[in-house]
Amino acid sequence: MSATLSPSSPTPATTPKHGTVRNFIGGAWLSGDGGLLDVHAPATGAVIARSPLSTPAAVDAAVRAATTALPAWRATPIKERVQILFRYRALLERHVDELTALIVEEHGKVDAEARAEILKAIELTEFACALPQLATGEVLEVSKGVECRTERHPVGVVASVVPFNFPSMVPHWTIPNAIALGNCMLLKPSELVPLSAGRIADLLTEAGLPAGVFNVVHGAREVVEAICDHPGIDAITFVGSTRVAKEVYRRGTSNLKRVLALGGAKNHLIVMPDAEPEMTSSNVAASMSGCSGQRCMAASVMVAVGGTDAIVSRVVEHARRLVPGETLGPVISRAAKERIERYITEAEQAGARVLLDGRGVTVPGHEDGFYVGPTVIDGVTPDMRIAQDEVFGPVLAIVRAPSLDRALEIEAASPFGNAAAVFTERGATARYVAERATAGMIGVNVGVPVPREPFGFGGWGESSFGVGDITGRGSIEFWTKTKKTTTKWNREAGTNWMS
Ligand code: NAD
């Protein structure tokens, strides 16, 4: 979803507040080796930093640093490795205000959303601290005197490519678990929000992480392609749009790497006429507008079954109370604002009714910010583009369905499969939807059904390519390979067909 890149040409006279961002390779801060991209604060439109568009040479340098660090790091017992993460977790807590402010500035989230992101990063780190209890091996006497044991080994040098919408949380989906399990990592942040990654590197270093275990290479497509192609990288996780997830999955696996690539989403929330009106409407409004709709778990389509007009009115009322610039942040870029507004106009032209219109919103004092107001559109039909594409803005499309089965058909027609939810007071209806919805994460009276640790996060269909989930217990499989050792010490055991 990133805007088309155009490296900034002549360096303007003024240096932006955060200067030029640097790569972090082998424990050293290094200047990028390619062009530069202006980083805009979405709330004001001002240039606050320059992001390096690194080249494959920077990827190669990071892989060499990680490869050098790997033997000592993987030989460090896991209980010692996680001591660094315990210290890192304490540093995240100590710096929560500063880290929150950085996300507010580079991404545009409102304070509460940015703070929640850091709190989630802390929770993800806590899970990694518990890995010595969870990632143990197994042992069994498989025949008389013969023992089989499995133990987990790191995959090796790994890369994590992340999107713009969570500058800190999504990197924490992978960093703590991968390094706790003994891997050395290269992180490729989004070029639109490069600042938080620098603080992650600072704090990991302060916590005592050895040089080369964690590296950051900034850039865009060229860096990601170099990651997919580099023979020294063993595994890649990607989180971003479906179009790029497919490219990374195809290219990475064709180079024989282990790849898990999470893509975009189009989450359907099915609202039944018996749903509790206040809980439902507040949940739906919060899901569609939180982080300005720029969450892969955001409510995008509300499928209203039967007589739900009273709930629809309440959703509009909740959404109307949001104040851009105060309780609703901007979207990431001018291009995103224009794209989202185009979707609204196109739906209106196709015959949908805009109940609440967020087009053309300006915030006093922040006239150049990239704001889109909360938008609710009724009478959307499944054939409209707004019902099919990921809009990634604070926009809710309401599709009316005559029956629950028709609602489920509409949900199933989407190629995405990240999340789905049902709002009802009947347990049997909830169960019916939970069994049939074609998504990896299901909410029952929950608008943002993110599974929290130790449960894994991951969708189905075009929302995820590869095996397993990116967080929780599932991630242990991804970041390790098992070694199986069969042992016999007692000579009397003799031999049999299996040993
Ligand atoms: P994006 O796909 O544009 O970019 C993601 C990453 O890929 C960035 O680091 C970017 O630099 C890089 N990239 C961009 N174009 C590339 C190309 N052609 N080749 C190789 N690399 C490329 O995504 P975004 O706009 O940063 O993030 C928003 C998207 O991420 C949404 O679709 C959202 O649903 C998705 N997302 C999904 C999940 C999930 O769990 N499924 C979580 C968060 C975000």
Side-chain angles (χ1 to χ4, degrees):
M1 290 224 143
S2 311
T4 310
L5 300 180
S6 48
S8 42
S9 31
T11 308
T14 53
T15 304
K17 178 179 169 192
H18 294 280
T20 300
V21 175
R22 283 178 294 168
N23 292 332
F24 182 69
I25 297 175
W29 293 100
L30 303 173
S31 297
D33 54 351
L36 294 174
L37 187 75
D38 286 343
V39 179
H40 296 265
T44 62
V47 175
I48 54 167
R50 297 218 165 74
S51 199
L53 295 172
S54 308
T55 73
V59 172
D60 187 54
V63 172
R64 278 188 278 116
T67 307
T68 304
L70 185 64
W73 184 242
R74 74 176 162 215
T76 304
I78 186 168
K79 275 179 175 283
E80 284 179 36
R81 290 196 295 253
V82 301
Q83 295 313 310
I84 293 166
L85 292 171
F86 276 109
R87 291 196 289 275
Y88 175 67
R89 184 204 174 282
L91 288 170
L92 288 176
E93 259 191 342
R94 193 180 313 155
H95 290 272
V96 67
D97 291 340
E98 168 228 329
L99 298 171
T100 298
L102 198 55
I103 293 175
V104 169
E105 187 178 9
E106 72 171 329
H107 182 284
K109 286 182 195 199
V110 299
D111 186 274
E113 293 166 347
R115 193 168 296 274
E117 188 174 337
I118 301 300
L119 295 179
K120 183 65 195 175
I122 291 172
E123 182 174 71
L124 289 154
T125 306
E126 283 166 3
F127 178 78
C129 290
L131 281 169
Q133 328 306 327
L134 298 170
T136 56
E138 291 178 339
V139 61
L140 182 73
E141 186 182 46
V142 289
S143 58
K144 193 68 195 156
V146 178
E147 173 190 289
C148 206
R149 66 185 264 154
T150 59
E151 58 196 31
R152 293 189 180 276
H153 288 249
V155 180
V157 172
V158 300
S160 173
V161 180
V162 291
F164 80 79
N165 65 329
F166 284 94
S168 186
M169 183 191 78
V170 171
H172 282 88
W173 280 358
T174 54
I175 300 166
N177 292 356
I179 63 180
L181 291 165
N183 301 283
C184 291
M185 175 176 270
L186 182 174
L187 177 76
K188 207 301 279 174
S190 164
E191 63 279 17
L192 305 180
V193 291
L195 300 174
S196 291
R199 294 298 288 137
I200 294 171
D202 279 336
L203 296 180
L204 281 170
T205 304
E206 193 178 335
L209 194 71
V213 174
F214 177 70
N215 307 275
V216 182
V217 177
H218 291 280
R221 179 179 186 157
E222 200 183 355
V223 169
V224 178
E225 290 179 348
I227 287 171
C228 292
D229 294 344
H230 200 295
I233 294 177
D234 301 296
I236 303 171
T237 59
F238 172 89
V239 182
S241 60
T242 290
R243 181 182 60 80
V244 183
K246 285 179 180 173
E247 284 171 23
V248 168
Y249 188 76
R250 289 200 183 104
R251 193 156 175 160
T253 53
S254 78
N255 283 315
L256 307 178
K257 299 181 195 312
R258 187 181 287 199
V259 181
L260 179 60
L262 271 53
K266 187 77 183 168
N267 306 313
H268 290 64
L269 272 53
I270 298 176
V271 175
M272 300 302 290
D274 69 350
E276 204 287 310
E278 183 51 27
M279 179 173 70
T280 302
S281 53
S282 59
N283 262 264
V284 172
S287 178
M288 69 78 122
S289 63
C291 302
S292 302
Q294 300 172 116
R295 287 191 286 203
C296 65
M297 296 296 278
S300 190
V301 178
M302 169 174 153
V303 191
V305 180
T308 42
D309 284 354
I311 297 175
V312 169
S313 302
R314 281 197 193 214
V315 170
V316 173
E317 285 321 304
H318 276 289
R320 199 190 298 282
R321 275 182 228 144
L322 293 163
V323 182
E326 288 178 29
T327 51
L328 183 72
V331 296
I332 191 66
S333 63
R334 187 169 305 286
K337 173 180 161 70
E338 289 167 3
R339 188 197 69 240
I340 295 161
E341 293 186 339
R342 267 198 308 278
Y343 271 111
I344 302 168
T345 302
E346 204 183 295
E348 190 177 42
Q349 287 166 352
R353 291 187 309 285
V354 182
L355 303 181
L356 185 63
D357 192 349
R359 286 170 292 185
V361 157
T362 49
V363 171
H366 287 180
E367 285 77 8
D368 292 328
F370 312 136
Y371 286 93
V372 178
T375 301
V376 181
I377 310 175
D378 201 356
V380 171
T381 52
D383 57 318
M384 292 181 190
R385 269 203 335 139
I386 201 162
Q388 296 173 2
D389 296 359
E390 181 175 39
V391 176
F392 228 52
V395 178
L396 183 70
I398 300 178
V399 176
R400 303 285 182 151
S403 67
L404 177 55
D405 282 331
R406 176 65 191 132
L408 283 164
E409 264 174 36
I410 292 167
E411 189 275 333
S414 171
F416 298 105
N418 215 39
V422 58
F423 289 84
T424 179
E425 290 296 287
R426 288 191 69 228
T429 306
R431 183 80 208 151
Y432 192 82
V433 174
E435 278 177 5
R436 288 164 180 77
T438 60
M441 293 173 280
I442 305 293
V444 175
N445 296 321
V446 174
V448 186
V450 173
R452 292 179 62 173
E453 280 50 45
F455 300 99
F457 185 103
W460 288 4
E462 298 213 340
S463 295
S464 183
F465 304 94
V467 177
D469 294 330
I470 200 164
T471 63
R473 289 197 190 94
S475 75
I476 300 172
E477 295 299 324
F478 188 81
W479 295 123
T480 58
K481 52 192 181 191
T482 55
K483 182 173 277 183
K484 288 71 60 180
T485 307
T486 305
T487 308
K488 179 168 65 182
W489 288 110
N490 56 337
R491 289 180 203 156
E492 326 76 80
T495 48
N496 67 25
W497 65 280
M498 283 294 283
S499 56

